[in-house]
Amino acid sequence: KSVNDKDPAIALAELRERVKRDDSLLRSCHALVHEVGRASYEKYRDFGEAMKYEDEICNSGYLHGVIEAHFSKAPDVFAAIKTVCDPYLPETFLSWECYHGIGHGVMYYTSNDLPRSLGMCDSYDSDFARATCANGVFMENFNSDQKLHPSKFLKSDDPFYPCAEQATRHKRDCYLYAPAYYLGLKENDYVGALKWCDGAEVPYKSACAQGVGSQAIKENINNPKFVEEICASNELTQRAPCIDGMVRLYINHHGSLAPAKILCGQLKPSNRQTCYFSVQSNSGLFTN
């Protein structure tokens, strides 16, 4: 009802608060958010518009619902993905959200077949589409609900798996999202996650630290100072990428640069330059 009367963000925020108090609701949360996604698509009849409200609460159930509703009548789902993002101006925020959502969606429809999903992303003509779609694939893999949507490409005794065996062009995104799985195994151990990142392949340690910053702010969206302290907890070389991850997620969460600019002014002076640089590097998505 909240979706139809207001917008999906209201429904998702309400559910987020209720699951904190109701364990039984938490257990059925994925299915409920799935229905919110379906209702959102039915309301807007536009994939990109519905995707603006993307929220990973309850293992991306919202996204799955939007994808399912959009493709429910398509005779060939995998042919349909080729054109669904065409209406959005290339390399803008909405275009990024769309191709990222397709990455999640192909994982959903291939039952988390990671190599097949990456192959489908590679079928796009542009580098932007291929890379953004692959980004969504890895996010879905590392956030996958192992009961409802199990993935064979996760190992609890090696949370970096399967990053080491990926093609070079995919390794950075793999290491970027691996911390989501680590923190699923060791809840709230953000400081430990940064230390764990030391074990990543050398060129991708910073990607891992960025992923910790992103995951930490996602789970503490109203407490950026707490996340800033996490970013400063381990090696100095990890601080900047961790802050960068925090800022990028903050921009994505709000769908705007303005709140992130305010955030930068609230950080310690030593971290502000990194923060403003992150804002500037994302400005191209919002140029139009």
Side-chain angles (χ1 to χ4, degrees):
K1 191 174 186 299
S2 294
V3 173
N4 293 323
D5 294 346
K6 298 174 184 176
D7 68 46
I10 302 297
L12 293 169
E14 180 181 335
L15 184 61
R16 188 183 295 279
E17 291 304 311
R18 289 179 61 188
V19 296
K20 292 177 181 178
R21 306 186 298 269
D22 187 339
D23 289 342
S24 62
L25 185 64
L26 183 61
R27 286 191 289 272
S28 59
C29 186
H30 180 89
L32 287 171
V33 184
H34 197 285
E35 291 306 312
V36 173
R38 288 187 63 89
S40 176
Y41 182 80
E42 294 298 329
K43 176 181 180 179
Y44 297 112
R45 293 287 175 178
D46 183 279
F47 181 78
E49 186 67 24
M51 281 295 296
K52 287 200 301 188
Y53 302 97
E54 180 190 356
D55 191 315
E56 278 72 51
I57 183 175
C58 304
N59 299 284
S60 301
Y62 175 82
L63 179 83
H64 294 165
V66 173
I67 294 278
E68 182 181 75
H70 180 75
F71 293 124
S72 60
K73 297 179 182 178
D76 184 343
V77 169
F78 306 121
I81 70 168
K82 297 291 288 183
T83 58
V84 70
C85 299
D86 288 353
Y88 314 116
L89 198 62
E91 302 191 25
T92 59
F93 180 71
L94 197 54
S95 175
W96 191 95
E97 287 286 355
C98 186
Y99 286 114
H100 175 82
I102 291 298
H104 281 271
V106 294
M107 283 287 278
Y108 184 60
Y109 275 99
T110 62
S111 298
N112 289 332
D113 186 329
L114 184 73
R116 186 182 175 198
S117 296
L118 291 173
M120 292 173 68
C121 291
D122 284 341
S123 70
Y124 283 115
D125 293 331
S126 78
D127 290 339
F128 178 85
R130 287 193 293 269
T132 307
C133 178
N135 180 278
V137 166
F138 284 110
M139 185 175 192
E140 181 66 20
N141 186 67
F142 286 112
N143 285 278
S144 182
D145 188 311
Q146 285 298 84
K147 292 182 179 178
L148 293 173
H149 304 288
S151 171
K152 296 184 295 183
F153 298 92
L154 293 172
K155 290 182 179 179
S156 59
D157 60 347
D158 179 12
F160 284 127
Y161 175 80
C163 297
E165 59 190 52
Q166 297 304 304
T168 300
R169 68 184 183 279
H170 290 146
K171 282 193 174 187
R172 193 180 191 288
D173 280 329
C174 189
Y175 281 104
L176 178 67
Y177 288 112
Y181 181 54
Y182 177 93
L183 288 164
L185 297 170
K186 300 185 178 183
E187 190 175 0
N188 299 325
D189 185 19
Y190 306 112
V191 172
L194 271 184
K195 293 179 180 177
W196 166 76
C197 284
D198 290 336
E201 291 179 88
V202 173
Y204 307 104
K205 289 184 178 184
S206 62
C208 185
Q210 182 183 335
V212 174
S214 292
Q215 197 66 21
I217 192 65
K218 181 186 295 185
E219 296 169 2
N220 300 275
I221 198 69
N222 296 316
N223 195 359
K225 298 293 289 183
F226 169 68
V227 180
E228 184 182 23
E229 291 301 317
I230 290 166
C231 290
S233 67
N234 198 30
E235 298 176 8
L236 184 61
T237 54
Q238 290 181 325
R239 185 176 303 179
C242 182
I243 294 289
D244 180 56
M246 174 178 74
V247 176
R248 287 174 184 271
L249 190 283
Y250 205 78
I251 292 169
N252 187 273
H253 175 82
H254 292 284
S256 169
L257 298 175
K261 292 177 182 177
I262 295 172
L263 169 69
C264 291
Q266 298 172 344
L267 300 182
K268 293 177 180 178
S270 59
N271 293 324
R272 288 177 192 169
Q273 184 176 356
T274 298
C275 185
Y276 284 121
F277 182 80
S278 298
V279 172
Q280 180 60 34
S281 66
N282 280 272
S283 62
L285 292 171
F286 298 91
T287 300
N288 297 294

